[in-house]
């Protein structure tokens, strides 16, 4: 009888192992989750080059165009406030799966839209899906990174959205230029991508142990881990100017190309966002060797300089200067944001990380949506050019203040260094 105990224990262990569902290994989950995050932001930029196509087909105003843009970010913000920390309680997989299913539905709604009302509904559903996914998916990417490469996970989390925006805008712009049915091509492919993403996430390993407090987590709130609060507060000007700049480009740049520079070209429309976000995706590599807060200082200074060049391009109608300014601002767009995310992410425990990323995205998307929506309403009374110039001038002031505040942090740390040695 005693001799059978080891055999019984072994059989029980084998049975338990067989009853557990198969999961992808961690090394495969990390790049796949990063790709899913990339896809969400690819889809976020995809409508931007198509807005002019929709505007020509359905004859709505530039003000309504910015509303169609901004409702996405507002819906995203609301879903973040409600579900931002849900994945900390029930796990990352079910939250990301729900978001992917909703996103596939949103792509279908874009295909079915036949007027501005349908476009707005599709943008709202897309915003809800992206809001649900943002905190959970960002946290999942960090947690799926190899144990020795958690900082790489934070870098991917900050770069994937920017790379997604760049590639999404550029490829959609090319579809507008070269495809007979760009709407069908773009949103049909994206619907298939998100359906496939849901199938892949089904086999992802879970990185969170479910815990109590699910219903309480649905009460809208913004929570920042105590250890990260001071750094988060110092980074507010960076979050605001970076994402308000993104809102300017995604909402008004196609209209600027048409009505200020006289260019009606899908590829050029896509390039306005692609250059900004593409330089933003490259910037963390360029600035990664610098110790904090130097990347934020260089990033904010780059945004300030880029905005000066942008204002000059609008005054002189110089398209070349517009893209030079966009590229310079793009370095700060990605460099400053990535630096802050990489600084903040290690300050949160695993059960706090979903809430931290939700707080980052709440601030970011408020800056992304509200100024763009206000600008859309001002276009009717002030004109497109005056509105864009005023928008850029305000961002220039915030960027200058952000550069100064981060510089003061560096000076203080340099003064404290000898005392600590």
């Amino acid at each position: 009888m005693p001799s059978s105990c080891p055999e019984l224990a072994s059989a029980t262990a084998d049975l338990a192992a067989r009853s557990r569902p198969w999961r992808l290994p961690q090394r495969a989950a990390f790049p796949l989750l990063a790709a899913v995050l990339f896809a969400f932001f690819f889809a976020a930029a995809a409508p931007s080059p198509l807005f002019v196509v929709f505007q020509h087909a359905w004859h709505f105003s530039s003000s309504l165009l910015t509303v169609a843009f901004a409702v996405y970010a507002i819906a995203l913000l609301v879903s973040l406030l409600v579900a931002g920390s849900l994945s900390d309680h029930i796990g990352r997989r079910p939250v990301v799966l729900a978001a992917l299913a909703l996103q596939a539905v949103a792509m279908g709604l874009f295909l079915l839209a036949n007027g501005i009302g349908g476009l707005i509904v599709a943008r709202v559903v897309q915003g809800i899906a992206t809001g649900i996914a943002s905190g959970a998916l960002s946290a999942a990417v960090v947690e799926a990174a190899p144990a020795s490469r958690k900082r790489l996970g934070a870098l991917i989390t900050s770069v994937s959205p920017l790379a997604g925006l760049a590639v999404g805008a550029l490829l959609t712009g090319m579809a507008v230029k070269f495809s007979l049915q760009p709407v069908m091509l773009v949103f049909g492919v994206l619907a298939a991508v998100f359906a496939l993403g849901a199938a892949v996430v089904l086999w992802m390993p879970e990185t969170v142990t479910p815990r109590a407090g699910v219903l309480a987590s649905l009460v809208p709130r913004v929570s920042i881990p105590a250890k990260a609060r001071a750094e988060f507060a110092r980074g507010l000007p960076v979050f605001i100017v970076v994402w308000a700049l993104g809102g300017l480009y995604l909402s008004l740049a196609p209209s600027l190309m048409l009505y200020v520079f006289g260019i009606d070209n899908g590829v050029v429309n896509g390039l306005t966002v692609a250059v900004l976000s593409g330089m933003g995706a490259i910037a963390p590599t360029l600035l990664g060797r610098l110790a904090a807060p130097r990347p934020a200082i260089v990033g904010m200074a780059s945004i300030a300089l880029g905005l000066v060049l942008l204002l000059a391009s609008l005054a002189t109608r110089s398209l070349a200067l517009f893209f030079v300014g966009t590229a310079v601002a793009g370095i700060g767009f990605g460099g400053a944001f990535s630096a802050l995310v990489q600084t903040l992410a290690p300050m949160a425990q695993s059960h706090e990380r979903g809430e931290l990323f939700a707080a980052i995205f709440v601030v970011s998307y408020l800056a992304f949506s509200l100024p763009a929506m206000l600008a859309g309403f001002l276009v009717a009374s002030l004109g497109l050019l005056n509105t864009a110039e005023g928008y850029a001038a305000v961002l220039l002031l915030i960027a200058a203040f952000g550069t100064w505040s981060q510089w003061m942090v560096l000076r203080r740390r340099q003064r404290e260094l000898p005392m600590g040695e």
Side-chain angles (χ1 to χ4, degrees), residues 292-363:
R294 288 179 178 85
I297 295 170
V298 174
M300 293 297 277
S302 295
I303 289 176
L305 177 58
L307 286 166
V308 170
L309 295 173
L310 175 62
L311 286 167
S313 77
L314 295 176
T316 61
R317 304 295 199 277
S318 171
L319 185 65
L321 193 56
F322 178 92
F323 277 104
V324 171
T326 300
V328 173
I331 294 172
F333 182 67
F337 180 68
S338 176
L340 276 181
V341 171
Q342 290 183 71
T343 300
L344 289 167
M347 295 180 177
Q349 301 296 319
S350 61
H351 66 279
E352 302 170 324
R353 199 165 286 131
E355 285 190 357
L356 172 62
F357 278 107
I360 290 171
F361 283 114
V362 163
V363 173

Side-chain angles (χ1 to χ4, degrees), residues 27-96:
R27 63 181 180 275
F30 176 51
L32 287 171
L33 285 168
V36 171
L37 182 63
F38 171 91
F40 268 96
F41 285 88
F42 182 111
S48 187
L50 290 166
F51 279 152
V52 174
V53 175
F54 293 135
Q55 196 173 17
H56 285 170
W58 301 331
H59 308 292
F60 55 86
S61 67
S62 294
S63 297
L64 277 176
L65 188 151
T66 56
V67 170
F69 160 79
V71 292
Y72 160 81
I74 292 171
L76 189 156
L77 176 63
V78 171
S79 63
L80 260 178
L81 287 170
V82 173
S85 61
L86 181 62
S87 70
D88 289 337
H89 295 270
I90 67 172
R92 311 295 186 211
R93 285 177 61 252
V95 174
V96 174

Side-chain angles (χ1 to χ4, degrees), residues 254-304:
S255 296
L256 289 173
M257 289 298 106
L258 180 60
Y259 297 111
V260 175
F261 296 100
I263 296 172
D264 185 9
N265 185 298
V267 175
V268 176
N269 288 342
L271 279 173
T272 59
V273 177
V275 170
L276 180 77
S277 302
M279 291 302 295
I282 295 168
T285 303
L286 300 176
L287 304 180
R289 297 179 182 276
L290 300 177
R294 288 179 178 85
I297 295 170
V298 174
M300 293 297 277
S302 295
I303 289 176

